[in-house]
C-alpha cells in the first residue's frame, strides 16, 4: 500500500528496512505509530523468506517489497528514492528487530534542522555489547571519524536521521551493511555536519544478519576507495 505520487510531504519519513521480521512487526508497528502518522511511515521488505510481507499487509502500513533479498543498503536506497520523490525534508531510519526503541524517535525529531545528519549513539561498552561488535565498532568508528573529519562514536548504528538535501548529493554504491559507513564517508566529504543523540543499547532477543568476515572486508574496501580516490 503506497501513497499517490502527487502527495508531497515536507516532514520526516520514518524508514524501516525489514528482513525476516515477522516476529517483531506486530510489536514494532503499534509502538512506532505512537510517534509517526501512517503517511510518514514506510517499510521495505527485503525479500523476506518468512511472513514479513503478509504481516505488513495485515498491519496496513505503507511498504515497498523486493521479490528477493538485495541487502540492507538496497532497501534503504529504495526508501531514500521514495523520500526524494515525495518531497520529504529528512529520513529517519531504524531497524525492524526492536534493537532501536521507537520511543526514542522524538529525540531525533527535536534536532531535525534539515541540514545535519544525526546518529543514534549507543553505549560502546564491552560489558553490554557483544565483544566482536564492540571491537569492530570501535575500529570502524575511528576510521570513519578520520575520513569524515568529524567525531563519530557509533558508525555502525542504523538509527540515524539523514537530510534529503544530503541524500540527493550522495552516490552510494554499497548494498550490504557497509552501506551505512559509505554514507558517512560521503556525507563527511560533502561537509555535512554529523551530530549524535544518545540511544538505548539493546542486544537481547534479536538475530544479527551481519557477517563479521564479509562485512569487515567490505568495510576495508570502503577505506581503500577513500585512499586511492
Amino acid at each position: 500500500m503506497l501513497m499517490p505520487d502527487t502527495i508531497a510531504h515536507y516532514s520526516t519519513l520514518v524508514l524501516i528496512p525489514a528482513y525476516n521480521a515477522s516476529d517483531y512487526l506486530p510489536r514494532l508497528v503499534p509502538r512506532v505509530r505512537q510517534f509517526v502518522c501512517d503517511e510518514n511511515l514506510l517499510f521495505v521488505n527485503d525479500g523476506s523468506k518468512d511472513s514479513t510481507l503478509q504481516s505488513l499487509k495485515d498491519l496496513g502500513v505503507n511498504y515497498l517489497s523486493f521479490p528477493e533479498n538485495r541487502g540492507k543498503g538496497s532497501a534503504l536506497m529504495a526508501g531514500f528514492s521514495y523520500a526524494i520523490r515525495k518531497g520529504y525534508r529528512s529520513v529517519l531510519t531504524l531497524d525492524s528487530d526492536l534493537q532501536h526503541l521507537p520511543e526514542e524517535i522524538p529525540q531525533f525529531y527535536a534536532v531535525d534542522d534539515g541540514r545535519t545528519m544525526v546518529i543514534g549513539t549507543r553505549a560502546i561498552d564491552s560489558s553490554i555489547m557483544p565483544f566482536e561488535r564492540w571491537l569492530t565498532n570501535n575500529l570502524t568508528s575511528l576510521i570513519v571519524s578520520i575520513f569524515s573529519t568529524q567525531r563519530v562514536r557509533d558508525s555502525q548504528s542504523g538509527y540515524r536521521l539523514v537530510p534529503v538535501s544530503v541524500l540527493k548529493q550522495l552516490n552510494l554504491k554499497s548494498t550490504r551493511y557497509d552501506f551505512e559507513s559509505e554514507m558517512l564517508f560521503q556525507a563527511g566529504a560533502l561537509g555535512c555536519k554529523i551530530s549524535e543523540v544518545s540511544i538505548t543499547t539493546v542486544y537481547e532477543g534479536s538475530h544479527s544478519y551481519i557477517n563479521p568476515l564479509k562485512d569487515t572486508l567490505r568495510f576495508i574496501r570502503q577505506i581503500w576507495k577513500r585512499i586511492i580516490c
Side-chain angles (χ1 to χ4, degrees):
M1 180 175 65
L2 294 176
M3 296 180 293
D5 288 347
T6 55
I7 298 177
H9 295 268
Y10 298 92
S11 54
T12 301
L13 174 70
V14 174
L15 172 62
I16 306 179
Y19 178 64
N20 292 345
S22 60
D23 288 344
Y24 303 105
L25 292 174
R27 290 174 287 156
L28 172 66
V29 170
R31 290 168 63 180
V32 171
R33 278 174 163 159
Q34 294 181 62
F35 309 99
V36 186
C37 62
D38 281 351
E39 306 90 82
N40 293 340
L41 177 61
L42 178 68
F43 284 82
V44 181
N45 172 42
D46 186 19
S48 298
K49 298 177 181 178
D50 64 359
S51 58
T52 291
L53 179 57
Q54 187 59 52
S55 294
L56 294 173
K57 293 177 180 178
D58 292 343
L59 290 162
V61 295
N62 296 316
Y63 67 85
L64 302 173
S65 186
F66 297 159
E68 71 286 321
N69 179 249
R70 299 181 186 176
K72 186 180 182 182
S74 293
L76 289 173
M77 278 299 299
F80 293 160
S81 296
Y82 177 93
I84 291 170
R85 187 175 75 246
K86 296 293 185 180
Y88 282 93
R89 181 176 69 171
S90 305
V91 180
L92 174 60
T93 66
L94 64 152
D95 293 344
S96 60
D97 59 4
L98 293 175
Q99 287 196 21
H100 297 152
L101 302 183
E103 290 75 18
E104 295 178 331
I105 288 175
Q107 294 181 217
F108 293 88
Y109 287 163
V111 294
D112 182 5
D113 62 5
R115 300 183 303 275
T116 304
M117 182 182 294
V118 183
I119 308 298
T121 300
R122 299 162 291 184
I124 311 300
D125 185 338
S126 59
S127 66
I128 302 173
M129 185 177 288
F131 177 75
E132 65 278 6
R133 294 198 194 181
W134 174 85
L135 183 62
T136 56
N137 203 342
N138 273 287
L139 177 60
T140 56
S141 295
L142 174 61
I143 295 171
V144 167
S145 296
I146 292 171
F147 281 96
S148 66
T149 69
Q150 299 179 69
R151 183 70 176 101
V152 178
R153 294 192 302 149
D154 191 359
S155 65
Q156 302 305 297
S157 174
Y159 210 166
R160 59 178 65 180
L161 180 83
V162 189
V164 167
S165 61
V166 174
L167 289 175
K168 290 178 178 178
Q169 301 178 69
L170 300 181
N171 183 28
L172 301 167
K173 301 294 186 182
S174 304
T175 60
R176 300 292 171 177
Y177 284 90
D178 54 336
F179 178 88
E180 287 159 328
S181 295
E182 183 184 25
M183 186 189 303
L184 290 171
F185 283 135
Q186 291 194 22
L190 290 170
C192 173
K193 180 182 177 183
I194 302 172
S195 65
E196 65 181 36
V197 295
S198 295
I199 60 171
T200 305
T201 305
V202 181
Y203 280 108
E204 296 180 2
S206 62
H207 172 72
S208 174
Y209 291 99
I210 295 176
N211 184 303
L213 177 58
K214 289 183 178 179
D215 289 303
T216 298
L217 290 175
R218 291 187 181 110
F219 179 74
I220 292 172
R221 182 179 61 187
Q222 290 294 336
I223 299 170
W224 182 245
K225 288 180 182 177
R226 306 277 87 72
I227 293 173
I228 64 175
C229 291

